Coordinates of all heavy atoms in Angstrom, one line a residue:
M1234 N 0.8 -1.2 0.0 CA 0.0 0.0 0.0 C 0.8 1.2 0.0 O 1.6 1.5 1.0 CB -0.9 0.0 1.3 CG -2.1 -0.9 1.1 SD -3.1 -0.5 -0.4 CE -4.6 -1.0 0.2
P1235 N 0.8 2.1 -1.0 CA 1.7 3.3 -1.1 C 1.2 4.4 -0.2 O 1.9 5.3 0.0 CB 1.7 3.6 -2.5 CG 0.4 3.1 -3.1 CD 0.0 1.9 -2.2
D1236 N 0.0 4.3 0.3 CA -0.6 5.4 1.0 C 0.2 5.9 2.2 O 0.4 7.2 2.3 CB -2.0 5.1 1.5 CG -3.1 5.4 0.5 OD1 -2.6 5.7 -0.6 OD2 -4.3 5.3 0.8
A1237 N 0.7 5.0 3.0 CA 1.5 5.5 4.2 C 2.7 6.3 3.8 O 3.2 7.2 4.5 CB 1.9 4.3 5.0
V1238 N 3.3 6.0 2.6 CA 4.5 6.7 2.1 C 4.1 8.0 1.4 O 4.7 9.1 1.7 CB 5.2 5.8 1.1 CG1 6.4 6.5 0.5 CG2 5.6 4.5 1.8
S1239 N 3.1 7.9 0.5 CA 2.8 9.1 -0.3 C 1.9 10.2 0.4 O 1.8 11.3 0.0 CB 2.1 8.7 -1.6 OG 0.9 8.1 -1.3
A1240 N 1.2 9.7 1.5 CA 0.3 10.7 2.2 C 0.5 10.7 3.7 O -0.2 10.1 4.4 CB -1.2 10.4 1.9
P1241 N 1.6 11.3 4.1 CA 1.9 11.3 5.5 C 0.9 12.2 6.2 O 0.3 13.0 5.6 CB 3.3 12.1 5.6 CG 3.4 12.8 4.3 CD 2.6 12.1 3.3
P1242 N 0.7 11.9 7.5 CA -0.3 12.7 8.3 C 0.0 14.1 8.3 O 1.2 14.5 8.3 CB -0.3 12.1 9.7 CG 1.0 11.3 9.8 CD 1.4 10.9 8.3
K1243 N -1.0 15.0 8.2 CA -0.8 16.4 8.3 C -0.4 16.8 9.7 O -0.7 16.2 10.7 CB -2.1 17.2 7.9 CG -2.4 17.1 6.5 CD -3.5 18.1 6.1 CE -3.6 18.2 4.6 NZ -5.0 18.3 4.1
T1244 N 0.5 17.8 9.8 CA 0.9 18.3 11.1 C -0.2 19.1 11.7 O -1.2 19.6 11.0 CB 2.2 19.2 11.0 OG1 1.8 20.3 10.2 CG2 3.3 18.5 10.3
Q1245 N -0.1 19.4 13.0 CA -1.2 20.3 13.6 C -1.2 21.6 13.0 O -2.2 22.2 12.8 CB -0.9 20.4 15.1 CG -1.4 19.2 15.9 CD -1.4 19.5 17.4 OE1 -0.9 20.6 17.8 NE2 -2.0 18.7 18.1
A1246 N 0.0 22.2 12.7 CA 0.1 23.5 12.0 C -0.7 23.5 10.8 O -1.5 24.4 10.5 CB 1.5 23.9 11.8
E1247 N -0.6 22.5 9.9 CA -1.3 22.4 8.6 C -2.8 22.4 8.8 O -3.5 23.0 8.1 CB -0.8 21.2 7.9 CG 0.5 21.5 7.1 CD 0.9 20.2 6.4 OE1 0.7 19.1 7.0 OE2 1.4 20.3 5.3
T1248 N -3.2 21.6 9.8 CA -4.7 21.5 10.0 C -5.3 22.7 10.6 O -6.5 22.9 10.5 CB -5.0 20.2 10.8 OG1 -4.3 20.3 12.0 CG2 -4.6 18.9 10.0
R1249 N -4.5 23.5 11.4 CA -5.1 24.6 12.2 C -5.0 26.0 11.6 O -5.7 26.9 12.0 CB -4.5 24.6 13.6 CG -4.9 23.5 14.4 CD -4.3 23.6 15.8 NE -4.7 22.4 16.7 CZ -4.3 22.3 17.9 NH1 -3.6 23.3 18.5 NH2 -4.7 21.3 18.6
T1250 N -4.1 26.2 10.7 CA -3.8 27.6 10.3 C -4.4 28.0 9.0 O -4.1 29.1 8.5 CB -2.3 27.8 10.3 OG1 -1.7 27.0 9.4 CG2 -1.7 27.6 11.7
A1251 N -5.1 27.1 8.3 CA -5.6 27.5 7.0 C -6.6 28.7 7.2 O -7.5 28.6 8.0 CB -6.4 26.3 6.3
R1252 N -6.4 29.8 6.4 CA -7.2 30.9 6.5 C -7.7 31.3 5.1 O -7.0 31.1 4.1 CB -6.5 32.1 7.1 CG -6.1 31.9 8.5 CD -5.5 33.2 9.0 NE -4.9 33.0 10.4 CZ -3.7 32.5 10.6 NH1 -2.9 32.3 9.6 NH2 -3.3 32.3 11.8
P1253 N -8.9 31.8 5.0 CA -9.4 32.2 3.7 C -8.5 33.3 3.1 O -8.0 34.2 3.9 CB -10.8 32.7 3.9 CG -10.9 33.1 5.3 CD -9.9 32.2 6.0
P1254 N -8.3 33.4 1.8 CA -7.5 34.4 1.2 C -8.2 35.8 1.4 O -9.4 35.8 1.2 CB -7.4 34.0 -0.3 CG -8.4 33.0 -0.5 CD -8.8 32.4 0.8
L1255 N -7.5 36.8 1.7 CA -8.0 38.1 1.9 C -7.9 39.1 0.7 O -6.9 38.9 -0.1 CB -7.4 38.7 3.1 CG -7.6 38.0 4.4 CD1 -6.8 38.6 5.6 CD2 -9.1 37.9 4.7
H1256 N -8.8 40.0 0.6 CA -8.8 40.9 -0.5 C -9.0 42.3 0.0 O -9.7 42.6 0.9 CB -9.9 40.6 -1.5 CG -9.7 39.3 -2.3 ND1 -9.5 39.3 -3.6 CD2 -9.6 38.0 -1.8 CE1 -9.3 38.0 -4.0 NE2 -9.4 37.2 -3.0
K1257 N -8.2 43.2 -0.6 CA -8.2 44.6 -0.2 C -9.3 45.3 -1.0 O -9.6 45.0 -2.2 CB -6.9 45.4 -0.6 CG -5.7 44.8 0.1 CD -4.4 45.5 -0.3 CE -3.9 45.0 -1.6 NZ -2.5 45.4 -1.9
V1258 N -10.0 46.3 -0.3 CA -11.0 47.2 -1.1 C -10.2 48.5 -1.3 O -9.7 49.1 -0.3 CB -12.2 47.4 -0.3 CG1 -13.1 48.4 -1.0 CG2 -13.0 46.1 -0.2
L1259 N -10.1 49.0 -2.5 CA -9.4 50.2 -2.8 C -10.4 51.3 -3.2 O -11.4 51.0 -3.9 CB -8.5 50.0 -4.0 CG -7.4 48.8 -3.9 CD1 -6.7 48.6 -5.2 CD2 -6.5 49.2 -2.7
L1260 N -10.1 52.5 -2.7 CA -10.9 53.7 -3.0 C -10.1 54.5 -4.1 O -8.9 54.8 -3.8 CB -11.2 54.5 -1.8 CG -11.7 56.0 -2.0 CD1 -13.0 56.0 -2.8 CD2 -11.7 56.7 -0.7
H1261 N -10.7 54.8 -5.2 CA -10.0 55.6 -6.2 C -10.4 57.0 -6.3 O -11.7 57.3 -6.2 CB -10.2 54.9 -7.6 CG -9.7 53.5 -7.7 ND1 -8.4 53.2 -8.1 CD2 -10.3 52.4 -7.3 CE1 -8.3 51.9 -8.0 NE2 -9.4 51.3 -7.5
N1262 N -9.5 57.9 -6.4 CA -9.9 59.4 -6.5 C -10.5 59.6 -7.8 O -10.3 59.0 -8.8 CB -8.6 60.2 -6.3 CG -8.9 61.7 -6.3 OD1 -9.9 62.1 -5.7 ND2 -8.1 62.5 -6.9
D1263 N -11.4 60.7 -7.8 CA -11.9 61.2 -9.1 C -12.1 62.7 -8.9 O -11.9 63.2 -7.7 CB -13.2 60.6 -9.5 CG -14.3 60.9 -8.5 OD1 -14.8 62.0 -8.4 OD2 -14.8 60.0 -7.8
D1264 N -12.4 63.4 -9.9 CA -12.5 64.9 -9.8 C -13.9 65.4 -9.6 O -14.1 66.6 -9.5 CB -12.0 65.6 -11.1 CG -10.5 65.4 -11.3 OD1 -9.7 65.2 -10.3 OD2 -10.0 65.4 -12.5
F1265 N -14.8 64.5 -9.3 CA -16.2 65.0 -9.3 C -17.0 64.7 -8.0 O -17.8 65.4 -7.6 CB -17.0 64.3 -10.5 CG -16.4 64.7 -11.8 CD1 -15.6 63.8 -12.5 CD2 -16.7 66.0 -12.4 CE1 -15.0 64.2 -13.7 CE2 -16.1 66.3 -13.6 CZ -15.3 65.4 -14.3
T1266 N -16.7 63.5 -7.4 CA -17.5 63.1 -6.2 C -17.1 64.1 -5.1 O -16.0 64.2 -4.7 CB -17.2 61.6 -5.8 OG1 -17.3 60.8 -7.0 CG2 -18.1 61.2 -4.7
P1267 N -18.2 64.7 -4.5 CA -17.9 65.6 -3.3 C -17.2 64.8 -2.1 O -17.5 63.7 -1.9 CB -19.3 66.1 -2.9 CG -20.2 65.8 -4.1 CD -19.6 64.6 -4.8
R1268 N -16.3 65.5 -1.5 CA -15.6 64.9 -0.4 C -16.5 64.4 0.7 O -16.3 63.3 1.2 CB -14.6 65.9 0.2 CG -13.5 66.3 -0.7 CD -12.6 67.4 0.0 NE -11.5 67.8 -0.8 CZ -10.3 68.2 -0.3 NH1 -10.2 68.2 0.9 NH2 -9.4 68.5 -1.2
D1269 N -17.5 65.1 1.1 CA -18.5 64.7 2.1 C -19.2 63.5 1.7 O -19.6 62.7 2.6 CB -19.4 65.9 2.5 CG -18.8 67.0 3.3 OD1 -17.6 66.8 3.7 OD2 -19.4 68.0 3.5
F1270 N -19.5 63.4 0.4 CA -20.3 62.2 0.0 C -19.4 60.9 0.1 O -19.8 59.9 0.6 CB -20.7 62.3 -1.5 CG -21.5 61.2 -2.0 CD1 -22.9 61.1 -1.7 CD2 -20.9 60.1 -2.7 CE1 -23.7 60.0 -2.1 CE2 -21.7 59.1 -3.1 CZ -23.1 59.0 -2.8
V1271 N -18.1 61.0 -0.2 CA -17.1 59.9 0.0 C -17.1 59.5 1.4 O -17.2 58.3 1.8 CB -15.7 60.3 -0.6 CG1 -14.8 59.1 -0.3 CG2 -15.8 60.7 -2.0
V1272 N -17.0 60.5 2.3 CA -17.0 60.2 3.8 C -18.2 59.5 4.2 O -18.2 58.5 5.0 CB -16.7 61.5 4.6 CG1 -16.9 61.3 6.1 CG2 -15.4 62.1 4.3
S1273 N -19.4 59.9 3.7 CA -20.7 59.3 4.1 C -20.8 57.8 3.6 O -21.2 56.9 4.3 CB -21.8 60.1 3.6 OG -22.0 60.0 2.2
V1274 N -20.2 57.6 2.4 CA -20.2 56.2 1.9 C -19.3 55.3 2.7 O -19.6 54.2 3.0 CB -19.8 56.2 0.4 CG1 -19.5 54.8 -0.1 CG2 -20.9 56.9 -0.5
L1275 N -18.1 55.8 3.0 CA -17.2 55.0 3.9 C -17.8 54.7 5.2 O -17.7 53.6 5.8 CB -15.9 55.8 4.1 CG -15.0 55.9 2.8 CD1 -13.9 56.9 3.1 CD2 -14.5 54.6 2.4
G1276 N -18.6 55.7 5.8 CA -19.3 55.4 7.0 C -20.4 54.3 6.8 O -20.6 53.4 7.7
A1277 N -21.2 54.5 5.8 CA -22.4 53.6 5.6 C -22.0 52.2 5.3 O -22.5 51.2 5.8 CB -23.3 54.2 4.5
V1278 N -21.0 52.0 4.4 CA -20.7 50.7 3.9 C -19.6 50.0 4.7 O -19.7 48.8 5.0 CB -20.2 50.7 2.4 CG1 -19.8 49.3 1.9 CG2 -21.3 51.3 1.5
F1279 N -18.6 50.8 5.2 CA -17.5 50.2 5.9 C -17.5 50.5 7.4 O -16.6 50.2 8.1 CB -16.2 50.7 5.3 CG -16.0 50.3 3.8 CD1 -16.4 51.2 2.8 CD2 -15.6 49.1 3.5 CE1 -16.3 50.9 1.5 CE2 -15.5 48.7 2.2 CZ -15.8 49.6 1.2
R1280 N -18.7 51.1 7.9 CA -18.8 51.4 9.3 C -17.7 52.1 9.9 O -17.2 51.8 11.0 CB -19.0 50.1 10.1 CG -20.2 49.2 9.6 CD -21.4 49.6 10.3 NE -22.6 49.3 9.4 CZ -23.6 50.2 9.3 NH1 -23.7 51.2 10.1 NH2 -24.6 49.9 8.5
M1281 N -17.2 53.1 9.1 CA -15.9 53.8 9.5 C -16.4 55.1 10.2 O -17.2 55.8 9.7 CB -15.2 54.2 8.2 CG -13.7 54.4 8.4 SD -12.9 54.5 6.8 CE -12.6 52.8 6.5
P1282 N -15.8 55.4 11.4 CA -16.1 56.7 12.0 C -15.7 57.9 11.1 O -14.8 57.7 10.4 CB -15.3 56.7 13.3 CG -14.8 55.3 13.4 CD -14.8 54.6 12.1
P1283 N -16.4 59.0 11.3 CA -16.2 60.2 10.4 C -14.7 60.6 10.3 O -14.2 60.9 9.2 CB -17.0 61.2 11.0 CG -18.2 60.5 11.7 CD -17.5 59.3 12.2
S1284 N -14.0 60.6 11.4 CA -12.6 61.1 11.4 C -11.7 60.1 10.6 O -10.9 60.5 9.8 CB -12.1 61.2 12.8 OG -12.1 60.0 13.5
S1285 N -11.9 58.8 10.8 CA -11.2 57.8 10.0 C -11.6 57.9 8.5 O -10.7 57.8 7.6 CB -11.5 56.4 10.5 OG -11.4 56.3 11.8
A1286 N -12.9 58.0 8.3 CA -13.3 58.1 6.9 C -12.8 59.3 6.2 O -12.4 59.3 5.0 CB -14.9 58.2 6.8
H1287 N -12.7 60.4 6.9 CA -12.1 61.7 6.3 C -10.6 61.5 6.0 O -10.2 61.9 4.9 CB -12.3 62.8 7.3 CG -12.0 64.2 6.7 ND1 -10.8 64.8 6.8 CD2 -12.8 65.0 5.9 CE1 -10.9 66.0 6.2 NE2 -12.1 66.0 5.6
G1288 N -9.9 60.7 6.8 CA -8.5 60.5 6.6 C -8.3 59.6 5.4 O -7.4 59.9 4.5
V1289 N -9.1 58.6 5.2 CA -9.0 57.7 4.1 C -9.4 58.4 2.8 O -8.7 58.3 1.8 CB -10.0 56.4 4.3 CG1 -10.1 55.7 3.0 CG2 -9.4 55.5 5.3
M1290 N -10.4 59.2 2.9 CA -10.8 60.0 1.7 C -9.7 61.0 1.3 O -9.4 61.1 0.1 CB -12.1 60.8 2.0 CG -12.6 61.7 0.9 SD -11.8 63.3 0.8 CE -12.1 64.1 2.4
L1291 N -9.1 61.6 2.3 CA -8.0 62.6 1.9 C -6.8 61.8 1.3 O -6.1 62.4 0.4 CB -7.5 63.4 3.2 CG -8.2 64.7 3.5 CD1 -7.5 65.3 4.6 CD2 -8.2 65.6 2.2
T1292 N -6.5 60.6 1.9 CA -5.4 59.8 1.3 C -5.6 59.5 -0.2 O -4.7 59.6 -1.0 CB -5.1 58.6 2.1 OG1 -4.9 59.0 3.5 CG2 -3.9 57.8 1.6
A1293 N -6.8 59.0 -0.5 CA -7.1 58.7 -1.9 C -7.1 60.0 -2.7 O -6.6 60.0 -3.8 CB -8.5 58.1 -2.0
H1294 N -7.6 61.1 -2.2 CA -7.6 62.4 -2.9 C -6.2 62.8 -3.3 O -5.9 63.2 -4.4 CB -8.3 63.4 -2.0 CG -8.3 64.8 -2.6 ND1 -9.1 65.2 -3.7 CD2 -7.5 65.9 -2.4 CE1 -8.9 66.4 -4.0 NE2 -7.9 66.9 -3.2
T1295 N -5.3 62.6 -2.3 CA -3.9 63.1 -2.5 C -3.1 62.1 -3.3 O -2.3 62.5 -4.2 CB -3.2 63.2 -1.1 OG1 -4.1 64.1 -0.3 CG2 -1.9 63.8 -1.2
K1296 N -3.2 60.8 -3.0 CA -2.3 59.8 -3.7 C -2.9 59.2 -4.9 O -2.2 58.5 -5.6 CB -2.0 58.7 -2.6 CG -1.2 59.2 -1.4 CD -0.8 58.1 -0.6 CE 0.5 58.3 0.1 NZ 1.1 57.2 0.9
G1297 N -4.3 59.3 -5.1 CA -4.9 58.7 -6.2 C -5.7 57.5 -5.9 O -6.6 57.1 -6.6
C1298 N -5.3 56.8 -4.8 CA -5.9 55.5 -4.5 C -5.5 55.1 -3.1 O -4.4 55.6 -2.6 CB -5.3 54.5 -5.5 SG -5.8 52.8 -5.2
C1299 N -6.3 54.4 -2.4 CA -6.0 54.1 -0.9 C -6.7 52.8 -0.6 O -7.9 52.5 -1.0 CB -6.6 55.3 -0.2 SG -6.5 55.1 1.6
V1300 N -6.1 52.0 0.3 CA -6.7 50.8 0.8 C -7.7 51.3 1.9 O -7.4 51.9 2.8 CB -5.7 49.9 1.4 CG1 -6.4 48.7 2.1 CG2 -4.7 49.4 0.4
V1301 N -9.0 50.8 1.7 CA -10.0 51.1 2.8 C -10.0 50.1 3.9 O -10.0 50.4 5.1 CB -11.4 51.1 2.1 CG1 -12.5 51.4 3.1 CG2 -11.4 52.1 1.0
A1302 N -10.0 48.8 3.5 CA -10.0 47.7 4.5 C -9.8 46.4 3.8 O -9.7 46.4 2.6 CB -11.4 47.7 5.2
V1303 N -9.6 45.3 4.6 CA -9.3 44.0 4.0 C -10.4 43.0 4.5 O -10.8 43.1 5.7 CB -7.9 43.5 4.5 CG1 -7.6 42.1 4.1 CG2 -6.8 44.4 3.9
F1304 N -10.9 42.2 3.6 CA -12.0 41.3 3.9 C -11.7 39.9 3.2 O -10.9 39.9 2.3 CB -13.3 41.8 3.4 CG -13.7 43.1 4.0 CD1 -13.5 44.3 3.3 CD2 -14.2 43.3 5.3 CE1 -13.9 45.6 3.8 CE2 -14.6 44.5 5.8 CZ -14.4 45.6 5.1
T1305 N -12.5 39.0 3.6 CA -12.6 37.7 2.7 C -13.1 38.2 1.3 O -13.7 39.3 1.1 CB -13.5 36.7 3.3 OG1 -14.8 37.2 3.4 CG2 -13.0 36.1 4.6
H1306 N -12.9 37.3 0.3 CA -13.1 37.7 -1.1 C -14.5 38.2 -1.3 O -14.8 39.2 -1.9 CB -12.8 36.5 -2.0 CG -12.7 36.9 -3.4 ND1 -12.7 35.9 -4.4 CD2 -12.8 38.1 -4.1 CE1 -12.8 36.6 -5.6 NE2 -12.8 37.9 -5.4
E1307 N -15.5 37.4 -0.9 CA -16.9 37.7 -1.1 C -17.3 39.0 -0.4 O -18.1 39.8 -1.0 CB -17.8 36.5 -0.7 CG -19.2 36.6 -1.2 CD -20.1 35.5 -0.7 OE1 -19.6 34.5 -0.2 OE2 -21.3 35.7 -0.7
V1308 N -16.9 39.2 0.8 CA -17.3 40.4 1.5 C -16.7 41.6 0.9 O -17.3 42.7 0.7 CB -16.9 40.3 3.0 CG1 -17.1 41.6 3.7 CG2 -17.6 39.2 3.7
A1309 N -15.4 41.5 0.4 CA -14.7 42.6 -0.3 C -15.5 43.0 -1.5 O -15.8 44.2 -1.8 CB -13.2 42.3 -0.6
E1310 N -15.9 42.0 -2.3 CA -16.6 42.2 -3.6 C -17.9 42.9 -3.3 O -18.3 43.9 -4.0 CB -16.9 40.9 -4.3 CG -15.6 40.3 -4.9 CD -15.0 41.1 -6.1 OE1 -15.7 42.0 -6.6 OE2 -13.9 40.8 -6.4
T1311 N -18.7 42.4 -2.3 CA -20.0 42.9 -2.0 C -19.9 44.4 -1.5 O -20.6 45.3 -2.0 CB -20.6 42.1 -0.8 OG1 -20.8 40.8 -1.3 CG2 -22.0 42.6 -0.5
K1312 N -18.9 44.7 -0.7 CA -18.8 46.1 -0.2 C -18.3 47.0 -1.3 O -18.8 48.2 -1.3 CB -17.9 46.1 1.1 CG -18.5 45.5 2.3 CD -17.7 45.7 3.5 CE -18.3 45.1 4.7 NZ -19.5 45.9 5.2
A1313 N -17.4 46.6 -2.1 CA -16.9 47.4 -3.2 C -18.1 47.8 -4.1 O -18.2 48.9 -4.6 CB -15.8 46.8 -3.9
T1314 N -18.9 46.8 -4.4 CA -20.0 47.0 -5.3 C -21.1 47.9 -4.7 O -21.5 48.8 -5.4 CB -20.7 45.6 -5.7 OG1 -19.7 44.8 -6.3 CG2 -21.9 45.8 -6.6
Q1315 N -21.4 47.7 -3.4 CA -22.4 48.5 -2.7 C -21.9 50.0 -2.7 O -22.7 50.9 -3.0 CB -22.5 48.1 -1.3 CG -23.4 46.8 -1.1 CD -23.4 46.3 0.3 OE1 -22.6 46.8 1.2 NE2 -24.3 45.4 0.6
A1316 N -20.6 50.2 -2.4 CA -20.1 51.6 -2.3 C -20.0 52.3 -3.6 O -20.4 53.4 -3.7 CB -18.7 51.5 -1.6
T1317 N -19.6 51.5 -4.6 CA -19.6 52.1 -6.0 C -21.0 52.4 -6.5 O -21.3 53.5 -7.1 CB -18.9 51.1 -7.0 OG1 -17.6 50.9 -6.5 CG2 -18.9 51.7 -8.4
D1318 N -22.0 51.6 -6.1 CA -23.4 51.8 -6.6 C -24.0 53.0 -5.9 O -24.8 53.7 -6.5 CB -24.2 50.6 -6.3 CG -24.0 49.4 -7.3 OD1 -23.3 49.7 -8.3 OD2 -24.5 48.3 -7.0
L1319 N -23.6 53.3 -4.6 CA -24.1 54.5 -3.9 C -23.7 55.7 -4.7 O -24.5 56.7 -4.8 CB -23.6 54.5 -2.5 CG -24.3 53.5 -1.5 CD1 -23.6 53.7 -0.1 CD2 -25.8 53.8 -1.4
G1320 N -22.5 55.7 -5.2 CA -22.1 56.9 -6.0 C -22.8 57.0 -7.3 O -23.3 58.1 -7.7
R1321 N -22.9 55.9 -8.0 CA -23.5 55.8 -9.3 C -25.0 56.3 -9.2 O -25.4 57.0 -10.1 CB -23.4 54.4 -9.9 CG -24.0 54.3 -11.3 CD -23.8 52.9 -11.9 NE -22.3 52.6 -11.9 CZ -21.9 51.4 -12.2 NH1 -22.7 50.4 -12.5 NH2 -20.6 51.1 -12.1
R1322 N -25.7 55.9 -8.1 CA -27.1 56.3 -7.9 C -27.2 57.9 -7.9 O -28.3 58.4 -8.2 CB -27.6 55.7 -6.6 CG -28.7 54.8 -6.8 CD -29.3 54.4 -5.4 NE -28.6 53.2 -4.9 CZ -28.8 52.8 -3.6 NH1 -29.5 53.4 -2.7 NH2 -28.2 51.7 -3.2
E1323 N -26.1 58.5 -7.4 CA -26.2 60.0 -7.4 C -25.5 60.6 -8.6 O -25.3 61.8 -8.7 CB -25.4 60.5 -6.1 CG -26.1 60.0 -4.8 CD -27.5 60.4 -4.6 OE1 -27.8 61.6 -5.0 OE2 -28.3 59.6 -4.1
G1324 N -25.1 59.8 -9.6 CA -24.5 60.3 -10.8 C -23.0 60.6 -10.6 O -22.4 61.2 -11.5
Y1325 N -22.3 60.0 -9.6 CA -20.9 60.2 -9.4 C -20.1 59.1 -9.9 O -20.6 57.9 -9.8 CB -20.6 60.4 -7.9 CG -21.3 61.6 -7.3 CD1 -22.0 61.5 -6.1 CD2 -21.2 62.9 -7.9 CE1 -22.6 62.6 -5.5 CE2 -21.9 64.0 -7.3 CZ -22.6 63.9 -6.1 OH -23.2 64.9 -5.5
P1326 N -18.9 59.3 -10.4 CA -18.0 58.3 -10.9 C -17.2 57.6 -9.8 O -16.2 56.9 -10.1 CB -17.1 59.0 -11.8 CG -16.9 60.4 -11.2 CD -18.3 60.7 -10.5
L1327 N -17.7 57.7 -8.5 CA -16.9 57.2 -7.4 C -16.7 55.6 -7.6 O -17.6 54.9 -8.0 CB -17.8 57.3 -6.1 CG -17.2 56.8 -4.8 CD1 -15.9 57.6 -4.4 CD2 -18.2 56.9 -3.7
M1328 N -15.4 55.2 -7.4 CA -15.0 53.8 -7.7 C -14.3 53.1 -6.6 O -13.3 53.6 -6.1 CB -14.1 53.9 -9.0 CG -13.6 52.5 -9.4 SD -14.7 51.6 -10.4 CE -14.2 52.3 -12.0
F1329 N -14.8 52.0 -6.2 CA -14.2 51.1 -5.3 C -13.8 49.8 -6.1 O -14.7 49.2 -6.8 CB -15.0 50.7 -4.1 CG -15.3 51.9 -3.2 CD1 -16.2 52.8 -3.5 CD2 -14.6 52.0 -2.0 CE1 -16.5 53.9 -2.6 CE2 -14.8 53.1 -1.1 CZ -15.7 54.0 -1.5
T1330 N -12.6 49.2 -5.9 CA -12.2 48.0 -6.6 C -11.6 47.1 -5.5 O -11.4 47.5 -4.4 CB -11.2 48.2 -7.7 OG1 -10.0 48.8 -7.1 CG2 -11.8 49.1 -8.8
T1331 N -11.4 45.8 -5.9 CA -10.8 44.9 -5.0 C -9.5 44.3 -5.6 O -9.4 44.2 -6.8 CB -11.7 43.7 -4.6 OG1 -11.9 42.9 -5.7 CG2 -13.1 44.2 -4.1
E1332 N -8.6 43.9 -4.8 CA -7.5 43.0 -5.3 C -7.0 42.1 -4.1 O -7.1 42.5 -3.0 CB -6.4 44.0 -5.8 CG -5.6 44.7 -4.8 CD -4.4 45.5 -5.4 OE1 -4.6 46.1 -6.5 OE2 -3.3 45.5 -4.9
P1333 N -6.5 40.9 -4.5 CA -6.0 40.0 -3.6 C -4.8 40.6 -2.8 O -4.0 41.3 -3.3 CB -5.6 38.8 -4.4 CG -5.6 39.2 -5.8 CD -6.4 40.5 -5.9
E1334 N -4.8 40.3 -1.5 CA -3.7 40.7 -0.7 C -2.5 39.7 -0.9 O -2.8 38.5 -0.9 CB -4.1 40.8 0.8 CG -3.3 41.7 1.6 CD -3.7 41.7 3.0 OE1 -3.9 40.6 3.6 OE2 -3.7 42.7 3.7
E1335 N -1.3 40.2 -1.0 CA -0.2 39.3 -1.2 C 0.0 38.3 0.0 O -0.2 38.6 1.1 CB 1.2 40.0 -1.3 CG 1.2 41.3 -2.0 CD 0.5 42.4 -1.3 OE1 0.9 42.7 -0.1 OE2 -0.4 43.0 -1.8
Ligands
NFA2592 N1 -11.3 64.4 -5.4 C1 -12.7 64.6 -4.9 C2 -12.9 66.1 -4.7 O1 -12.0 66.9 -4.7 C3 -12.9 63.9 -3.6 C4 -12.7 62.4 -3.7 C5 -11.8 61.8 -2.7 C6 -13.3 61.6 -4.6 C7 -11.5 60.4 -2.8 C8 -13.0 60.2 -4.6 C9 -12.2 59.6 -3.7 N2 -14.2 66.5 -4.6

């Protein structure tokens, strides 16, 4: 029986530390969405307090793009879509995207 040789028992570390891959949600700057609206979206979708939301908004405004938070893949996709849709509903080009974390 080759099983004992080809499939050694997993270590405790292997069986206990598997974690779902995480994805970043990114906020992208644009020239049209009002700053206060961005802050309100960050509060509504990401439960971010106003002072933190203002800081994240300013970082994206200054640098062009900013990590908002990190989630499991499905949660990141859902939040990015919800936040982008809130802007679109008001006619703003506000954009949130996701990318896998290294
Ligand atoms: N740049 C936008 C403005 O000056 C504000 C903004 C910040 C938009 C971050 C999108 C993301 N009104």
Side-chain angles (χ1 to χ4, degrees):
M1234 280 304 207
D1236 271 8
V1238 176
S1239 61
K1243 286 190 167 143
T1244 64
Q1245 279 197 350
E1247 279 175 322
T1248 56
R1249 287 183 181 184
T1250 60
R1252 293 186 188 86
L1255 297 177
H1256 290 245
K1257 299 180 277 194
V1258 175
L1259 304 173
L1260 164 63
H1261 300 265
N1262 187 39
D1263 67 69
D1264 292 338
F1265 301 101
T1266 310
R1268 294 179 179 210
D1269 286 351
F1270 185 82
V1271 178
V1272 171
S1273 75
V1274 169
L1275 291 171
V1278 176
F1279 299 95
R1280 303 273 151 218
M1281 204 171 275
S1284 59
S1285 311
H1287 193 262
V1289 167
M1290 180 281 294
L1291 268 188
T1292 302
H1294 176 78
T1295 305
K1296 295 185 148 188
C1298 177
C1299 174
V1300 176
V1301 177
V1303 173
F1304 301 101
T1305 56
H1306 190 191
E1307 191 182 343
V1308 173
E1310 290 293 344
T1311 300
K1312 286 187 182 287
T1314 300
Q1315 283 174 350
T1317 299
D1318 283 352
L1319 286 176
R1321 184 173 305 172
R1322 242 188 267 170
E1323 300 298 322
Y1325 298 132
L1327 183 63
M1328 177 85 87
F1329 291 81
T1330 61
T1331 70
E1332 72 176 41
E1334 208 186 37
E1335 319 76 53

